[in-house]
Amino acid sequence: LTDVHIGPLLDGRFLDAIVEKVNAEKPDVVVITGDLVDGSVRLIGKDVAKLNNLKSRYGQFFCTGNHEYYSGAGDWTTFLDTLNVRTLLNERISIGDNQPGGASIDLAGIADRQGRMFNDAHAQNFERTMAGRDMERELVLLSHRPNPIREAASYGVGLQLSGHTHGGQFFPITVIGEFIHPYNAGLHRHNDLTQIYVSCGTGFWGPPVRILAPAEITSLTLTA
């Protein structure tokens, strides 16, 4: 999930429908790559609390987007913890069966680049995120924007999951987005080791219109 934009136009009913569809997929992991909210915890906390109904085998994880910083990112990361949605703020964890012979990956999340403008602790930090990394282990990176893909590739990230672009959301911005972002929508192979998937987003921002950039709940199957 990404760019859900719960706020003035999208509320808890919209999130209820998303949670139902996600749970029907019986996911191993649910990730939200930023821009979940447009409003404070005080105003829309009850709507976002619907996320507490998400169910997955290994948990739910979140990385910040730029809109979180317009809405009180510190309050939101604390609140999401109470909903069993863990924020990965320039950090890396292991996901899966860590017993000998078990299948597992590393999952990392970086803060949005605008975080440093609001809180020094939220400055995007690849060095901290990747410190001590075992290069033999596959790594999936959550990054709100697709732009850090080159730095991600330099650290051997196998797959970056991003949003932010909305796929342009509607014409002609769909065309303009191709020039602004290294990857605007869909799955791309950046180099021999690194791929990136950019979602068109689950909600919308601004005009409630989508043309040639449909909203999506993305189901990804990772293959060794």
Side-chain angles (χ1 to χ4, degrees):
L1 307 175
T2 190
D3 299 271
V4 185
H5 289 288
I6 298 300
L9 297 180
L10 296 171
D11 59 15
R13 291 171 295 178
F14 180 64
L15 206 46
D16 273 335
I18 291 172
V19 168
E20 182 179 356
K21 291 178 180 180
V22 169
N23 288 345
E25 293 289 322
K26 295 181 169 55
D28 288 323
V29 178
V30 176
V31 299
I32 306 170
T33 58
D35 280 12
L36 171 63
V37 297
D38 282 305
S40 67
V41 172
R42 181 179 63 83
L43 289 176
I44 60 173
K46 283 187 176 181
D47 294 305
V48 177
K50 305 288 187 175
L51 290 177
N52 198 39
N53 295 319
L54 282 171
K55 298 176 182 177
S56 65
R57 185 176 182 184
Y58 296 116
Q60 294 75 238
F61 301 91
F62 172 77
C63 74
T64 56
N66 52 305
H67 280 247
E68 272 70 55
Y69 292 104
Y70 313 148
S71 305
D75 290 341
W76 276 114
T77 57
T78 300
F79 184 70
L80 289 174
D81 279 341
T82 70
L83 307 178
N84 297 312
V85 178
R86 177 176 172 180
T87 301
L88 296 177
L89 188 65
N90 300 318
E91 59 184 314
R92 185 182 74 256
I93 61 171
S94 176
I95 294 286
D97 181 1
N98 290 309
Q99 300 301 314
S104 68
I105 61 168
D106 285 345
L107 180 68
I110 56 172
D112 184 71
R113 71 184 187 194
Q114 285 199 0
R116 62 182 174 79
M117 299 169 61
F118 295 83
N119 186 333
D120 288 344
H122 284 240
Q124 192 173 97
N125 190 328
F126 266 93
E127 185 175 352
R128 173 183 164 188
T129 306
M130 303 300 175
R133 164 158 150 52
D134 179 356
M135 296 297 289
E136 295 298 313
R137 289 179 55 79
E138 190 55 272
L139 175 62
V140 175
L141 175 69
L142 310 182
S143 168
H144 177 59
R145 302 172 197 249
N147 302 67
I149 183 62
R150 293 176 182 84
E151 192 164 5
S154 72
Y155 281 97
V157 169
L159 175 65
Q160 178 176 312
L161 301 178
S162 297
H164 183 67
T165 69
H166 294 215
Q169 194 165 306
F170 53 84
F171 184 84
I173 300 176
T174 47
V175 177
I176 297 171
E178 299 288 345
F179 294 95
I180 297 175
H181 306 287
Y183 302 103
N184 194 49
L187 181 65
H188 304 270
R189 180 168 289 281
H190 180 72
N191 61 25
D192 289 343
L193 294 176
T194 303
Q195 299 182 77
I196 179 171
Y197 186 86
V198 183
S199 167
C200 287
T202 312
F204 60 82
W205 186 79
V209 176
R210 278 187 172 274
I211 302 172
L212 300 179
E216 61 182 276
I217 294 169
T218 315
S219 178
L220 292 146
T221 301
L222 306 183
T223 305

